Amino acid sequence: MESFKNALAASIRQSRAFYGAVALLVIIYLVYNILHPHGFSSAVLVQNANEMAAIAFLAMAQTVPVLLGGLDLSVGAVMTLTSCIASELVHGSPATILFGMVMTLLSGTAFGLLNGIIVVYGRLQPIIVTLATGAIAIGLALFIRPKPGGEIDADLNWAVTNSLRDLVETYHLFNPDAGWFAPVAWIPVPLLALLAVAVLVWIPFRKSVTGRTVYAIGSAEGAAYMSGLPINRAKIAAFALAGFFAACGGLYLAIQTSSGNADVMQAGAYTLNSIAAVVLGGTSLLGGIGGAIASLVGACILRVISFYFRIVSIDPLLQPLIEGLVLLAAVSLGALRTLRVKNNLDLFR
Amino acid sequence: MNSLFSTIRPENKPIAVASLFIMVILLIGTAYTLSVQGSAPLLSPNYLLQQLQTGSFLGIVAAGMMMVILLGHIDLSVPWTLTASAMMAASVGGDMALPTGIAVGLAVGLVNGLGIAYLRIPSMIFTLGVDSVLRGLMVAHTGGFAPQDQATPLMRFLAAERLLGIPVAIFVWAFVSVCVALILTRTSFGRSVYATGNREGAAFLSGIRTRMVIIGAFMVSGVCAAIAGVLLAGYSAKAYQGMGLPYLLPAIAAVVLGGTRILGGQGRYVGTLVGVVLIVLLNSVLSIMQMPEAGRQIIYGAVLIGMLLVYGRGARVAS
């Protein structure tokens, strides 16, 4: 018990920003539910989780290149591209649905892989490479789906965007009213999908040599190289993983909206919001500090802020302004760092 | 040819490559129009001037963006700085329209600069926040509708009229270009921008007030976006929502295509000019070919990556 306490204290000291973000999320979500006219209910949670899922996946996607000290401006475009692919493939028999989902995820991963290969072997800056490949992804998306539309299996749409109970009921897995199932039946499927991807993909990656190398490159690339770490492999893997997470977001968005839409504006907005979510979660844009779980929290904060507008009566014309001010204030909290700096030169890193 | 290429100094290489590529674009476009329509509109001075007139808005935005990129920062608030300046200028109207628009740009640049220089928040995220605040302000100001205000005659003159057969907008672009080029090469502020962009700590230790340099550069960027906004409002007779969005990424692309290092500290203004012309001509050739939006985006991205690969790649990590 004592050692656990010490470990927790050390962990909090090391990642103040992350625990601060978690605390902020808990507080604002609690207040939201207290203020909500109908109080907390599974239906509200399901709706909230649905709205969070796509941006949360994208925030996780953005995190990996940011940890390298880079930036991926193509995540929104890759999400758009994969959602268009999904709207072509994810319908028909169960086998073709599964095939379509796998193909969607693979195509996103392949696009990320391409980003990584250009960054590593072209030796170009990630921000500008992904600016260009983002345009290519949007072009491909428009090519696949010049007009919004497409088809997604209706059962899948219903099962994935509702609570666990609906998932079980839709696919007749077992009796959805079984007694042992009741305590978890209310959990929203999108939330589970997010956690599953985070636990099954992100955590093993972070613990692997490749994942540790991503962190090392973000802290000091030269030192990582001199220590014999596989730099090129880590960079390529980071961008491929970003592509995979973006594809998860795209697949989810396609299932949620039952269609694909090659919307350039939406792609840009998602990319920019993903950066904001990463920063809100406490990941440093300089690289080396943070993680995908933190960005998940950041994305949730970003979304919960916008939930408030539904229950607090504010002039709708003022909503974008307040949203912007809150975002600006939240990122300005990072300025507290400057107060702790003892030597002015440390500011210029 | 190869020996000639290697005698060019490294910072001029992108400019030479981009200029060559402009020739290639013109040749391909002319070959296409000759074979399809039997005429060569791309080479007529009138057509080129018209293209440069619409390109001047991008050129002015890119000039400001370059200042900021030379510092190793980036200004993502350009879209709504541009829109806000245009909207405020149009709604104030009269003689004060122009000064109002530029004052908006200066104020936004000041806020950006203060946040980045003193609060030390990464420019990528701070300017993004400022952008969304500006968007909110403008939504509140216009009430969410398209504003009804018309551009003033002076704005119309600056953007859409011609003087001596040349569009006035090109004169404005040329004026901004000369100013920025002089600032960068002939003033101590300009040299400080390069020094700060190379290594802020070293610049600080050698007595440069790097915070003031950052604020100054962001104010230049804000003013450039404001000028572009006022011109664009004059060109299309009024300000409208989302008028600035199509200028952000092309401006960054133009600066980088012109050989400015995205991490700061290196780049010549001539390069940015060449980069803007390249993007404008590429766009016009693609629209002459009636390329659908999908193909246009793909070619756009491929050209950007291809050119950067030709420019020479970054140094290998070796220590």
Side-chain angles (χ1 to χ4, degrees), chain B residues 36-301:
Chain B
V36 174
Q37 304 160 354
S39 62
L42 263 180
L43 298 182
S44 81
N46 211 24
Y47 180 82
L48 284 178
L49 281 178
Q50 203 186 334
Q51 291 304 312
L52 287 180
Q53 180 181 14
T54 48
S56 58
F57 313 126
L58 176 63
I60 294 170
V61 172
M65 186 63 85
M66 184 190 176
M67 283 290 228
V68 177
I69 292 184
L70 276 177
L71 282 176
H73 288 289
I74 203 157
D75 188 350
L76 297 183
S77 71
V78 158
W80 280 94
T81 311
L82 193 155
T83 313
S85 309
M87 283 182 171
M88 293 320 289
S91 71
V92 168
D95 291 339
M96 286 309 288
L98 223 52
T100 311
I102 291 177
V104 170
L106 271 178
V108 175
L110 183 65
V111 172
N112 279 334
L114 285 175
I116 290 148
Y118 282 92
L119 301 182
R120 309 303 304 184
I121 298 163
S123 53
M124 178 81 73
I125 192 75
F126 192 81
T127 51
L128 185 62
V130 168
D131 189 57
S132 53
V133 169
L134 282 173
R135 173 170 158 262
L137 280 174
M138 284 307 112
V139 169
H141 169 70
T142 59
F145 302 107
Q148 295 302 312
D149 310 301
Q150 296 292 317
T152 62
L154 180 60
M155 284 155 73
R156 302 269 314 142
F157 170 76
L158 285 176
E161 300 289 314
R162 286 186 172 221
L163 200 66
L164 308 171
I166 297 174
V168 184
I170 295 181
F171 285 114
V172 180
W173 182 18
F175 175 71
V176 170
S177 297
V178 169
C179 287
V180 170
L182 284 181
I183 288 176
L184 284 179
T185 53
R186 294 275 180 271
T187 66
S188 65
F189 172 70
R191 303 318 299 172
S192 313
V193 167
Y194 282 97
T196 310
N198 265 314
R199 189 169 287 269
E200 191 174 354
F204 175 77
L205 286 182
S206 50
I208 294 173
R209 291 190 294 169
T210 56
R211 287 185 168 128
M212 290 302 148
V213 174
I214 292 176
I215 294 177
F218 273 93
M219 285 171 82
V220 173
S221 172
V223 168
C224 284
I227 295 174
V230 170
L231 284 185
L232 192 59
Y235 186 71
S236 42
K238 61 180 172 195
Y240 50 93
Q241 309 249 358
M243 63 196 283
L245 212 57
Y247 289 91
L248 176 63
L249 295 183
I252 299 173
V255 172
V256 174
L257 280 179
T260 302
R261 213 156 63 106
I262 192 85
L263 298 178
Q266 197 184 78
R268 297 185 57 195
Y269 183 70
V270 183
T272 302
L273 275 185
V274 175
V276 171
V277 172
L278 197 163
I279 287 184
V280 168
L281 285 183
L282 184 63
N283 265 334
S284 70
V285 167
L286 289 179
S287 60
I288 284 181
M289 291 181 170
Q290 293 174 341
M291 181 70 69
E293 180 68 14
R296 206 185 269 230
Q297 295 274 357
I298 294 173
I299 291 175
Y300 200 64

Side-chain angles (χ1 to χ4, degrees), chain A residues 71 73 118 121-125 127-129 131-133 135-136 138-140 142-143 221-223 225-226 231 235 264-265 272-273 275-276 279 285 316-318 320-321 324-325 327-328 331-332 334-335 337-338 344-345 347-348, chain B residues 74 76 118-122 124-126 128-130 132-133 135-137 139-140 143-144 200-201 204-205 210-211 245 249 252-253 256 262-263 293-295 297-298 300-302 304-305 308-309 312-319:
Chain A
L71 206 64
L73 292 184
I118 297 175
Y121 295 109
R123 296 209 291 273
L124 299 173
Q125 279 304 315
I127 174 169
I128 203 74
V129 168
L131 178 72
T133 54
I136 295 178
I138 286 288
L140 290 173
L142 280 167
F143 193 67
E221 187 169 357
Y225 175 81
M226 291 310 251
I231 289 199
K235 283 188 179 172
V264 182
M265 298 285 238
L272 296 181
N273 277 331
I275 302 174
V279 173
L285 282 181
L317 290 179
L318 290 178
L321 177 60
L325 283 174
L327 176 66
L328 199 58
V331 299
S332 298
R337 178 179 73 95
T338 58
N344 257 336
L345 276 178
L347 287 176
F348 300 135
Chain B
I74 203 157
L76 297 183
Y118 282 92
L119 301 182
R120 309 303 304 184
I121 298 163
M124 178 81 73
I125 192 75
F126 192 81
L128 185 62
V130 168
S132 53
V133 169
R135 173 170 158 262
L137 280 174
V139 169
E200 191 174 354
F204 175 77
L205 286 182
T210 56
R211 287 185 168 128
L245 212 57
L249 295 183
I252 299 173
V256 174
I262 192 85
L263 298 178
E293 180 68 14
Q297 295 274 357
I298 294 173
Y300 200 64
L304 190 53
I305 291 186
L308 288 174
L309 286 174
R313 310 173 300 163
R316 198 184 281 277
V317 178
S319 64

